[in-house]
Amino acid sequence: MIPSPFADVPPLVYTDSVDIPVLFRDSPAARPFKQWRTAKPAPWPAPAAFPAKNGWYLPTTTWREILKAATEVGRDITPNLLRVPQLASSELVARVSPLYAYLGTHTVDTKHTLAGSKGQRLTVNAVYEYGTERSAKNALGYRLGMTMAEWATRSLMGLGQTLHIEDGGPIPALRDKFRSPAAKLPDLWGLHEEENLYWMIEAKGGNVRSPRLWEGWKQLQGGTKILHEYAHRRILVGASVQPQGDLFLTVDHDHHPGKDPIQPTSGSASPQPPGSPEDHLGDSDDALMGTARAQMLVYLALSGAQPSRLKTVALPADRTSRRRGPRGVTTPLERDSSASAMRNAVRAETSDSDQPGRRGHARALGLDDFLAYRVPGTELRLGMSRQLFAACAQLHYEDQLIAERTPGMRAEDLRSDEPASEEAEERRRQTQRRVFRERQEEERARIEPRVHGHSGDSWNRSHFNRHRERRLLGTAP
C-alpha cells in the first residue's frame, strides 16, 4: 500500500504555482544537503537577468511554464516528421509524460519565509518512490534536467532560444568541431541578447551528486576548447530531487572572456527587442525564424490533428499588452481581464449567426485568432497565433523541398535493412541531420523573405481556417 502522507496529493494542473529553490555558485561542489529548506533565500532580482551574486534564490513559477520548457528543449526531430506530422503529438507526450508521471507537489514549512512565495514545491510522488524501476528513473532524470535547464536559462535569465549543440554551435567556422561524435560537449547553447554573450549549457537531473556535476563541467570545458576565441558563459544546471525532498536547482557558472558574438548575416540587423521573441514576430526576421523553428513541433501537432480537436480563441494581437505570468514567458489567459472584456464586447455587438461580421469586429478591436489544441490523453494544451501558424506552414513547406534534395532523407534513400550496429546507425543519422541543417542554413537567405511574407495579413487564411472549428470566441485554453 502507498503510505497515507501521499494519499490526498492531487496531480499537477496548469494553474498550479510552485517555488523552485535555486543555488548559484562558481563551480560544482557537494550537494547542499537540506539547505534548500534552511538557507535564507533572496527574492529573484529581476526578470530576464543573470543574478549579480551567488547564493540561494526562491523564484515562483507555474506548472505551465515548466511544461512549455519541456516541449521546446532538446534535439529538433521535426525533419524526421516531415512525412508523418501526426507523430508530433506522440513526441510531445514523450517529452512531458515523465514529468506528469513522477512529479507532484507538497507543502513545506521553511525556516525563512519570503514574500510572494506559494509554500508549494515540486517533489517526486509515491509512484516514483515505491514502484519505479531504475531505467524509468533515469528517463525522468534526463527529461527533468533538460526541462529545468531550459526553464532556468530562458524563463529566469532571459536567454534566447536554445539549440542542441549537435546542430553545430554558434560559430559557422567551428561547426564541424561541435559536431564531432568523439567530442565530450555540453547539451545546449544560446545567445543572451542583453549580455551579448553566447551561453553553453549542460543539464543534469535526478539524484544529482557532485561526480555527475563534475562530469558536466568537463563537458562544458570541452565546449570552451572549441569556442575559446569568443566570450561565453558556462552554465551547469543540476535539477536534483529525491523522495520526500524538494526539487531544487544548482547553477554552477563562470564567464570566459573573448570576442563579441558574430552578428547574423541575414534577417534583422538590429538587436532583438527585449522580451520573448514571440512578442516581436513582426519586428524581427530573426525572431520570426527562430520562433517558427522552435514551434515547428507544435505546428506539426496542430496540422496533423483531427479538425474536431481544434478550436480558435480570440486574443489581443498585441502580445506585449498581455499580462505575463510570474517569472516566465507564458501568459495565464484565465487572469487576462482585458482580453475577456474585449471578447465580451464582441459578443455583445454581434450575433452568433454572423461569423464573418463577428470576426471582422474582433479584428477591429485588436483581437486575432489563436489556434488551440489539446494533445489527446494529456492535459497539455498548445496553440499559436494566425501569424505564427502561417510562418510555420511556409517554413514546413520549404523544409520539405530541402528534404527532397537531401541524400538520406529522400523516400528512395530510406533504409530497409538492419543497421550494422546501434553506434553506426546513430552516426548515420547524425550525419543525415548535419547535412539537412547545412542545407537549411545555405537556403536561409532565400527562405526568410518567403516566411516573413506569408506571416502577414496578406496570407491566404483558408489554410488556417481548414485547421479549426468555428468557435472564434471560445474559452481560452
Side-chain angles (χ1 to χ4, degrees), residues 1-3 5-7 9 11 97-104 123-134 136-137 140 243-244:
M1 292 181 62
I2 295 175
F6 293 95
V9 179
S97 58
L99 307 182
Y100 271 115
Y102 300 129
L103 294 183
T123 186
V124 288
N125 60 25
V127 175
Y128 179 96
E129 182 170 357
Y130 293 101
T132 305
E133 296 177 349
R134 181 177 297 178
K137 291 182 177 180
L140 172 65
Q244 302 183 39

Side-chain angles (χ1 to χ4, degrees), residues 195-466:
E195 286 198 334
N196 196 33
L197 278 178
Y198 296 124
W199 284 19
M200 289 193 298
I201 307 153
E202 174 62 20
K204 301 295 182 184
N207 191 4
V208 183
R209 298 179 181 272
S210 56
R212 288 191 64 206
L213 292 178
W214 280 112
E215 175 188 334
W217 198 251
K218 290 179 181 178
Q219 290 173 257
L220 287 165
Q221 290 173 333
T224 293
K225 289 180 181 178
I226 300 174
L227 199 60
H228 180 80
E229 190 177 357
Y230 295 88
H232 60 272
R233 278 196 187 276
R234 295 187 288 199
I235 306 288
L236 172 62
V237 179
S240 187
V241 66
Q242 51 193 318
Q244 302 183 39
D246 307 344
L247 169 67
F248 69 93
L249 305 187
T250 54
V251 180
D252 301 310
H253 63 92
D254 72 0
H255 173 260
H256 180 85
K259 297 193 301 186
D260 288 341
I262 294 177
Q263 294 299 318
T265 57
S266 61
S268 173
S270 59
Q272 182 176 303
S276 169
E278 296 175 31
D279 293 340
H280 307 286
L281 301 184
D283 305 327
S284 167
D285 288 347
D286 287 332
L288 179 62
M289 287 289 288
T291 303
R293 282 267 175 248
Q295 295 294 315
M296 188 59 69
L297 188 61
V298 175
Y299 165 78
L300 292 174
L302 291 168
S303 61
Q306 297 177 1
S308 61
R309 291 188 175 274
L310 302 175
K311 65 180 294 185
T312 52
V313 179
L315 297 176
D318 181 10
R319 289 178 54 94
T320 58
S321 67
R322 302 179 198 166
R323 179 184 176 185
R324 287 277 181 244
R327 302 288 179 260
V329 297
T330 60
T331 306
L333 299 181
E334 66 272 10
R335 298 201 297 269
D336 193 340
S337 58
S338 62
S340 297
M342 294 169 73
R343 286 195 291 268
N344 290 335
V346 174
R347 291 191 187 98
E349 295 294 329
T350 59
S351 65
D352 293 341
S353 60
D354 183 16
Q355 287 295 324
R358 173 168 284 189
R359 188 175 299 111
H361 189 57
R363 291 178 65 81
L365 288 182
L367 293 169
D368 201 0
D369 293 347
F370 192 97
L371 187 65
Y373 170 59
R374 181 169 181 163
V375 178
T378 74
E379 193 215 8
L380 189 63
R381 285 172 281 183
L382 305 166
M384 61 177 58
S385 66
R386 178 191 296 274
Q387 180 187 16
L388 183 54
F389 186 91
C392 288
Q394 183 64 27
L395 189 56
H396 176 59
Y397 172 74
E398 301 292 346
D399 282 349
Q400 287 179 311
L401 296 181
I402 294 173
E404 291 173 0
R405 301 190 299 269
T406 301
M409 298 199 71
R410 300 171 299 189
E412 61 268 26
D413 295 330
L414 296 179
R415 294 172 61 97
S416 58
D417 56 318
E418 191 72 20
S421 68
E422 185 175 342
E423 291 78 10
E425 184 67 5
E426 177 59 25
R427 286 194 298 270
R428 185 189 71 81
R429 290 172 178 166
Q430 189 176 53
T431 300
Q432 180 189 83
R433 290 191 296 270
R434 175 179 58 79
V435 173
F436 184 76
R437 299 294 180 217
E438 289 174 351
R439 296 287 177 88
Q440 285 180 319
E441 288 300 315
E442 291 169 0
E443 300 197 30
R444 173 164 175 160
R446 176 186 63 81
I447 293 173
E448 197 169 76
R450 297 187 181 189
V451 173
H452 181 82
H454 281 73
S455 69
D457 289 340
S458 62
W459 185 66
N460 182 358
R461 294 174 186 163
S462 64
H463 182 63
F464 182 91
N465 293 336
R466 286 199 301 269

